[in-house]
Amino acid sequence: MSTDTTTTPTTPVATAAGDRRPVRFDTKIAVLLRDDMEGWQRLNVTAFLVSGLGTRLPELVGEPYEDADGTAYLPMFRQPVLVLQGGEEVLAAARGRALGRGLPCSVFTADLFATGNDADNRAAVRAVAGDELDVVGLAVHGPRGAVDKVLKGARMHP
């Protein structure tokens, strides 16, 4: 199975101002969250997880934004990010399937809620064997079908 991570849409991007046809991308960005977290934790974990994808895969990031007054804003992902949820077993299985397929992914473990900086975050993950990680969040990018298989058992976040 190919792990090509290009983000080429399967239909042309609309060029006319009024053309609002949906664009279907060959790839998918998805975040999977454990369903037993507080709301603030879900938001925080999602933000941390997707930050890794943009740095590892710069082609996922579009051009900077600008408003009518000329104020510049940072660029964002070129395609939607799906947010799903599942139980502890779903997260563990998804992590294993993502790694088994060689898909780029980021993880957030329960231990990271007790750390306060990047160095301690990395040390907390490094201290635990992969199969023992208490994964509360996972972000993954790859071909649509492969990502769908990784997320088997997950459901859309409410």
Side-chain angles (χ1 to χ4, degrees):
M1 168 174 277
S2 170
T3 56
D4 180 16
T5 58
T6 60
T7 58
T8 306
T10 57
T11 57
V13 175
T15 55
D19 190 349
R20 301 276 187 234
R21 288 178 292 178
V23 174
R24 182 175 166 91
F25 291 90
D26 293 326
T27 63
K28 186 179 279 189
I29 300 171
V31 173
L32 176 57
L33 302 171
R34 205 159 76 195
D35 56 11
D36 61 352
M37 289 190 290
E38 297 290 327
W40 72 266
Q41 291 174 315
R42 291 171 186 246
L43 295 170
N44 183 264
V45 168
T46 300
F48 271 96
L49 289 170
V50 298
S51 69
L53 293 176
T55 58
R56 169 83 190 280
L57 303 162
E59 67 274 11
L60 291 177
V61 180
E63 296 296 319
Y65 285 71
E66 185 176 299
D67 65 24
D69 299 326
T71 304
Y73 302 96
L74 294 172
M76 297 185 280
F77 287 133
R78 296 177 52 237
Q79 65 187 94
V81 177
L82 298 174
V83 181
L84 299 100
Q85 65 178 4
E88 185 176 339
E89 302 80 22
V90 171
L91 270 287
R95 178 194 158 276
R97 288 191 292 261
L99 295 174
R101 286 176 161 47
L103 297 178
C105 65
S106 52
V107 295
F108 195 102
T109 67
D111 294 335
L112 302 188
F113 290 122
T115 61
N117 62 72
D118 186 51
D120 290 342
N121 286 350
R122 285 183 281 111
V125 173
R126 189 180 312 109
V128 181
D131 289 342
E132 305 289 321
L133 290 171
D134 186 7
V135 178
V136 298
L138 171 90
V140 63
H141 172 262
R144 295 177 63 82
V147 171
D148 289 342
K149 288 176 183 173
V150 164
L151 301 173
K152 183 179 178 186
R155 60 194 184 281
M156 290 301 293
H157 190 280

